Every structure is written in C-alpha cells, then in structure tokens.
Amino acid sequence: MTRFLRTLTFAGRCGLTLCLAGASLAAAAQPLTTGVDATFAPHAMPKLGGGLDGFNIELGQAIAKQLGTTIKIEGTEYAALIPGLNAKKYDFVLAPTTATEERARALLFSEGYLNTDYTFVIGKNGKDIKGLDDLKGRKLAVNKGSAYENWARDNAAKYGFTYDVYASNADAVQAVQAGRADANLAGNTVAAWAAKQNPAVRTSYTIKTGLVWALAFRLDDKAGRDRVSMALKCLKQDGTVSKLAQKWFGFTPAAGSAAATVTPGQGVPDLPGYDAQPVELRCS
C-alpha cells in the first residue's frame, strides 16, 4: 500500500471515529421528554403567566441541567403517564410514582428521591381520624391511577369504608370540601400543601409506609434509567434535592431519608430491577 493510500485509510478511520464520538455526544445531549400530573400541587401545577411549577418540575429541570441538556415536561392525567411511557412518548415519568414490588415488575425505577407516607385530608370541622379503624362507614376520595387508589381498593373491605375515584387529586380534595367525601387520601407532601392552601380542610392521620417516590422508566431502558439516575444521585450529593424539599414542603429531609441519601447501585433496593453493582459518581 502506498503512503498516499495509507494516509487516506488512516484519515477515513479517524473520520469514522470522530463521527461516532460526535454521535455519542449528540445522543447524550438529546432533550428529555417527560410528563406529570399538572394538578398535583405542590409537585406540579400551573403557574401564572403559563407553564408549570412545583417540586418535581424543578427536579426535572435540575436533572436536565446536570446532564447538559433540556427537558420538555407535559402536563396530563396521572393515569395517562404509564401508557405514554410504554408508547415511548416519554423518556421517563417525572410525576411522583410510588415504587412498589408490583410496579417494579413492569417498570424500572431510579432510586427514591422522597419518602412517601399517606395522609388523610378532612374538612375543617370534620371528625378526626385517629387510626384506620375510624374509617368504618366513611367515604374516601382518591386520585385515579395512584397508589392511594390501590390502597383504598385493597383495604376498603378490611376497614369498612367506601371510596370514589377522581381524575385529579385537586378534584378529590374538592369532594371533601363539598361534603361528597369524608376524607381524601394523598401523599404527605400533597396533603400538607392542600391544607396550607385551603383553610376549609386540614390534615389528619398519617399512614407510615416505608415507601419512596422514584422516577419510572420502561423495563427495557436500563441505559436511560442509569443515566438519569446518575444525575439524581449528583443532585442528592450536592444538596439540591433537600433544598427543593425545604422550598416546597417546608421541612428539611432527615439524614438517612431518601432525599438526602445516595443509594448504592441503581434503583430501589429489594425491588425487582435493582442493580446492586456500585457506581462511581460522575457529576458536572
């Protein structure tokens, strides 16, 4: 082979390498697309002047910034988010999604970013709930497709209550205020926000669950899960997640809580899809 041909061959190989490297960088910087329940304050809600605001909105924006890209966040009903994810409309679900064993068989989860307990919201003058036995004969209002609907379905017969399902949690709280339900069951952060914003309702009994909220991915998208989860780990390490909790919920996450602790490996420990292989943090 002549020197000229060797030079052309080398240049061609280098060109291919550069093209592949460029393609890899372009893929890494691809904008993210995700969805939230835009009525689930204070996690996601419309803001004055247009657009969305809330804890999860700012969390998604921080994840995108950590990855050096942008994010498009679509507001819709919660029940439409998982079908949209599986149809590849979304890269992941940004809305608060409780990581359970049942869900983890069909979805991949990031590690948890907030602990999630269940709190009852009742009318200002409503009869207090001091324990689950107090639910007998009462009617609950829950958000369609949520973990709270699942809890109500699984426990209605045991504790002797009935429940109605609403398209949004705001509608469920309104049902309590209007007297169509005795209590709304929602996440502790959402319940506290609802009571803070609406003097006609107040929080009552809290069910400790030991569960966490996590970002949900398609079962076949381990690379996407690991990439976004790495960014989430970085935001925990630098205190961003804790600062967002302080801003939106009014409390400082405790040491050892999901918001303040970087989980070894990828995913939620003890659930299907968890990868225990230690990872080295790579933060921007």
Side-chain angles (χ1 to χ4, degrees), residues 236-270:
K236 286 186 180 186
Q237 185 184 59
D238 69 12
T240 297
V241 178
S242 290
K243 290 175 183 176
L244 290 177
Q246 292 169 3
K247 174 180 178 179
W248 290 102
F249 313 134
F251 64 78
T252 300
S257 67
T261 305
V262 176
T263 301
Q266 298 282 22
V268 179
D270 301 323

Side-chain angles (χ1 to χ4, degrees), residues 28-224:
Q30 282 294 313
L32 298 169
T33 302
T34 187
V36 294
D37 176 351
T39 65
F40 205 53
H43 293 271
M45 54 193 170
K47 66 179 180 180
L48 295 176
L52 299 173
D53 205 3
F55 174 90
N56 283 74
I57 303 302
E58 290 200 26
L59 178 64
Q61 292 167 343
I63 287 171
K65 184 177 180 180
Q66 177 66 218
L67 292 172
T69 187
T70 58
I71 188 167
K72 177 183 177 182
I73 305 174
E74 178 179 294
T76 187
E77 292 184 2
Y78 185 87
L81 292 173
I82 301 302
L85 174 69
N86 288 328
K88 298 188 177 181
K89 181 178 181 180
Y90 306 125
D91 296 307
F92 64 96
V93 173
L94 179 61
T97 302
T98 304
T100 64
E101 184 167 355
E102 179 182 4
R103 282 177 168 168
R105 294 192 188 102
L107 299 166
L108 277 180
F109 282 108
S110 70
E111 63 190 75
Y113 58 83
L114 282 176
N115 294 91
T116 173
D117 294 323
Y118 301 171
T119 296
F120 292 96
V121 175
I122 61 176
K124 180 180 180 181
N125 299 316
K127 186 178 180 182
D128 205 7
I129 300 171
K130 298 180 180 180
L132 297 180
D133 290 337
D134 288 345
L135 297 178
K136 186 175 181 179
R138 301 197 195 188
K139 178 180 283 189
L140 303 185
V142 293
N143 188 181
K144 182 179 180 181
S146 67
Y148 320 114
E149 179 187 1
N150 294 340
W151 187 93
R153 181 192 63 226
D154 294 343
N155 290 279
K158 179 179 180 180
Y159 294 108
F161 63 84
T162 59
Y163 66 95
D164 288 333
V165 178
Y166 291 84
S168 72
N169 197 65
D171 290 339
V173 172
Q174 179 60 35
V176 174
Q177 186 176 344
R180 298 192 301 273
D182 298 299
N184 159 238
L185 182 63
N188 51 311
T189 56
V190 173
W193 174 267
K196 180 180 179 181
Q197 299 297 309
N198 188 345
V201 298
R202 61 189 175 92
T203 57
S204 188
Y205 184 72
T206 293
I207 304 169
K208 298 292 185 180
T209 68
L211 299 174
V212 295
W213 274 322
L215 305 173
F217 297 76
R218 288 184 297 278
L219 202 58
D220 63 356
D221 189 20
K222 185 177 185 301

